Amino acid sequence: MTQTTLLSRRALLQRAAWAAGVAAWPRWAAAGTAALRHDPFTLGVASGDPSTEGMVLWTRLVPAEPGAWNRPIAVRWEVAHDDAFRRIVQRGTATALPEFAHSVHVELQGLAPGRWYHYRFLQGDAVSATGRTRTAPAAGDVAPGLRIAFASCQRWEHGHYAAWADMCRQSPDLVLFLGDYIYEYASPKDPAGLARVHGLRLAHTLADYRDRYALHKSDPSLQAAHALCPWATTWDDHEVQNDYAGIHGRGDDADFLAMRTAAWQAFYEHTPLRTASLAASGFGALQVYRALPWGRMATIHLLDARQFRDRQACRAEGSSGAGAVRPGDCAELQAPGRSFLGAAQERWLDAGLAADARGGGVGSAIGDGTRWSVIAQQTLFSPRHYPSGVQSTDSWDGYPAARQRLLQSVARHAPRNTVLLGGDIHQNYVCNVMAPAESPGSPTARVLASEFCGTSISSRSGTTQDKVDAIARHNPHVLLARCDLRGWGLAEVTPRRWTTTLRTVDDPLRADSGASTLARFVVEDGRPGPVRDL
């Protein structure tokens, strides 16, 4: 399958979305491109990382034929109060460089806090779809509400992106994407049971990863979700290679590091990240963990659980890294210095939680402090004690000392309310996050925080509900566990209450699938622990 086959015109994508019942491309998103010789905006538009006075606007130009452009291309952009662009607030010109796949990252400043805007790109006689974005509230404001969508894991073959279409109908303020935006695999040789297939090989080079992002971004529901509101995106393993850990992948280290550099460059090229995320060393490192303040309503601590982690415990050289061990057979598992986030990120998060707690804690007046400290990361944080006695090595269960340090940080600083969000495991979990034991062998009866781990947008689960039910029975802090559904999560946040609604699609093999609510949980201000509401 060629790139030109994958990248159909945006008008066709929009019509396909409507035909599928997406209702995700509103009137203001369409652009008149029918008479164009070539539409370079077939990958859509996006915005990200909103601040009080701006955000990042993103697009990537696609030539009529692969390799047709080898020069910088000027791209105009406009930001307006209205979707007809009669009241333009800012406009300018950006340069799309061939070295970065002609991607564009426009960092806006000087906008008003706490309001919505419309934006678009123009190149020659082509006009992009219109995106909608917004700024965060002013630093001292406590906004009346915040709607956060959180999602992860969208393998192309395993399902259509009906979950994104459902998300669009719920109109969030912000999307948190928690990893596995692409999958590096080639399509299985047997297409039975798959929603769709592609002709791309196992990703290894920069061109391979660019093609993989182009494939995923050709989906109309995903494009609509990007155009609807700003995103904040982090990565997990499949943006590079399954179960990699820091500098450790499969095979030769030098070969893996070259592949990782290529994959990280493609991630930057296709994500609305700020240029500050680029390290002086180039794409050998990216600053992905960051804090997103939302006035005094919330601070979102968005983490990176791949770049700095130690290798999985008792992992053989060159192995995939996946698997489970019995703690008694793997002394490395309990080593106190092992880190899931890396020492620098651990210190950064500890300082952020301390800052959240300053100015108010539980029981403070409504005008004080950060209401909700959100730790948005890749996977399930709470422990899963398996009836078999084995321990996972790729999740937080494989780094118990690191999890204990984070629990101690939350307990020591005592932010007013702490909520953890995760993904990766293709299952829905809702958990009480328990306080760390005060001494070895002592019980951990106090609920410290709340956790919501979302299922995948489309990727299948690798287990059965019977096995998940057995885990839930074996872990009293687990309030809900479901493995056989695809979907996303919506967090509706007010100063007094956090409400998480777990949405699931009826049939991931249908682009026009309906969706419904699996469950709803509420966390009250100053009372840690989710309570089921539906």
Side-chain angles (χ1 to χ4, degrees):
M1 184 177 297
T2 67
Q3 188 177 46
T4 52
T5 301
L6 296 173
L7 302 178
S8 58
R9 296 175 63 83
R10 184 179 63 258
L12 294 178
L13 292 174
Q14 293 177 357
R15 285 200 294 272
W18 285 108
V22 170
W25 285 98
R27 166 186 57 79
W28 46 260
T33 61
L36 288 180
R37 290 188 305 248
H38 169 64
D39 176 11
F41 297 112
T42 51
L43 297 187
V45 299
S47 67
D49 283 18
S51 68
T52 58
E53 61 170 352
M55 71 290 294
V56 181
L57 305 182
W58 173 92
T59 193
R60 178 191 161 195
L61 304 182
V62 177
E65 297 293 336
W69 291 339
N70 58 6
R71 67 187 189 282
I73 304 293
V75 184
R76 291 170 288 144
W77 55 267
E78 296 177 340
V79 178
H81 286 304
D82 63 311
D83 55 45
F85 290 85
R86 295 189 181 94
R87 295 185 293 146
I88 292 179
V89 180
Q90 292 187 20
R91 56 162 48 106
T93 300
T95 302
L97 298 173
E99 296 87 345
F100 299 109
H102 291 100
S103 61
V104 176
H105 296 72
V106 177
E107 297 188 32
L108 296 182
Q109 297 181 356
L111 300 178
R115 68 155 297 154
W116 288 93
Y117 294 91
H118 293 82
Y119 66 95
R120 66 185 181 185
F121 295 91
L122 306 96
Q123 197 274 318
D125 56 354
V127 182
S128 75
T130 296
R132 190 178 67 147
T133 190
R134 62 162 302 159
T135 51
D141 289 353
V142 179
L146 166 63
R147 294 168 62 84
I148 303 171
F150 59 97
S152 63
C153 305
Q154 49 185 16
R155 183 165 178 178
W156 179 264
E157 305 97 313
H158 284 185
H160 291 284
Y161 294 165
W164 287 125
D166 182 60
M167 188 278 289
C168 288
R169 292 188 283 266
Q170 305 301 321
S171 298
D173 295 298
L174 177 69
V175 172
L176 298 179
F177 194 84
L178 302 178
D180 293 345
Y181 190 97
I182 63 167
Y183 278 68
E184 77 278 23
Y185 304 127
S187 284
K189 294 182 179 179
D190 182 1
L194 300 177
R196 48 193 176 178
V197 295
H198 62 79
L200 302 177
R201 67 176 188 174
L202 177 69
H204 188 82
T205 67
L206 179 56
D208 292 338
Y209 287 108
R210 285 171 171 170
D211 286 345
R212 200 58 53 99
Y213 281 99
L215 170 72
H216 286 66
K217 285 180 174 291
S218 71
D219 185 274
S221 295
L222 178 57
Q223 286 198 12
H226 273 297
L228 188 73
C229 67
W231 286 41
T233 302
T234 188
W235 54 32
D236 196 20
D237 53 342
H238 287 289
E239 286 85 356
V240 180
Q241 184 188 78
N242 183 42
D243 289 338
Y244 86 92
I247 62 173
H248 303 286
R250 303 182 188 184
D252 180 78
D253 285 348
D255 183 63
F256 169 72
L257 290 177
M259 182 176 68
R260 191 188 71 168
T261 297
W264 286 0
Q265 176 170 340
F267 178 84
Y268 173 79
E269 290 171 349
H270 294 84
T271 306
L273 287 172
R274 297 182 181 275
T275 55
S277 65
L278 297 176
S281 59
F283 291 101
L286 280 181
Q287 180 65 43
V288 174
Y289 67 84
R290 57 207 188 271
L292 300 169
W294 202 264
R296 284 189 294 165
M297 171 74 83
T299 299
I300 299 167
H301 306 277
L302 190 60
L303 305 188
D304 173 359
R306 283 292 164 186
Q307 184 171 184
F308 307 108
R309 68 158 69 182
D310 289 310
R311 187 174 61 183
Q312 293 90 345
C314 299
R315 170 179 171 176
E317 287 288 345
S319 71
S320 68
V325 299
R326 294 185 179 277
D329 298 334
C330 180
E332 184 185 9
L333 187 73
Q334 303 296 336
R338 285 172 44 77
S339 181
F340 196 62
L341 303 176
Q345 189 175 187
E346 285 190 19
R347 292 191 296 270
W348 169 85
L349 180 57
D350 180 75
L353 295 173
D356 287 353
R358 286 196 293 269
V362 174
S364 299
I366 191 66
D368 295 337
T370 300
R371 295 294 177 279
W372 302 92
S373 297
V374 185
I375 301 175
Q377 45 87 52
Q378 280 66 57
T379 190
L380 182 68
F381 177 78
S382 297
R384 283 186 293 180
H385 301 293
Y386 288 82
S388 63
V390 300
Q391 193 102 350
S392 169
T393 59
D394 192 58
S395 68
W396 282 95
D397 279 345
Y399 301 80
R403 178 166 54 202
Q404 184 79 349
R405 289 192 295 273
L406 180 49
L407 288 170
Q408 291 169 343
S409 177
V410 175
R412 181 171 64 255
H413 298 304
R416 184 176 182 125
N417 302 287
T418 302
V419 176
L420 290 100
L421 301 177
D424 175 56
I425 59 174
H426 310 170
Q427 301 165 41
N428 276 311
Y429 270 79
V430 179
C431 302
N432 286 319
V433 178
M434 310 307 294
E438 296 181 1
S439 60
S442 65
T444 58
R446 181 168 67 91
V447 179
L448 183 67
S450 308
E451 179 174 22
F452 302 98
C453 183
T455 187
S456 64
I457 289 290
S458 62
S459 305
R460 293 173 180 167
S461 175
T463 187
T464 66
Q465 189 59 43
D466 287 344
K467 292 180 180 179
V468 170
D469 288 341
I471 293 171
R473 289 192 299 269
H474 209 66
N475 294 267
H477 58 276
V478 174
L479 307 180
L480 178 144
R482 241 346 246 281
C483 80
D484 55 349
L485 297 168
R486 312 279 72 79
W488 63 287
L490 175 65
E492 299 172 271
V493 190
T494 72
R496 292 297 192 187
R497 174 178 287 195
W498 175 295
T499 303
T500 291
T501 302
L502 301 175
R503 298 283 295 173
T504 58
V505 299
D506 301 332
D507 184 356
L509 299 184
R510 292 180 59 93
D512 62 349
S513 174
S516 60
T517 294
L518 170 65
R520 184 167 60 235
F521 285 81
V522 170
V523 182
E524 301 288 350
D525 176 38
R527 297 171 60 184
V531 176
R532 189 156 187 165
D533 190 50
L534 178 66

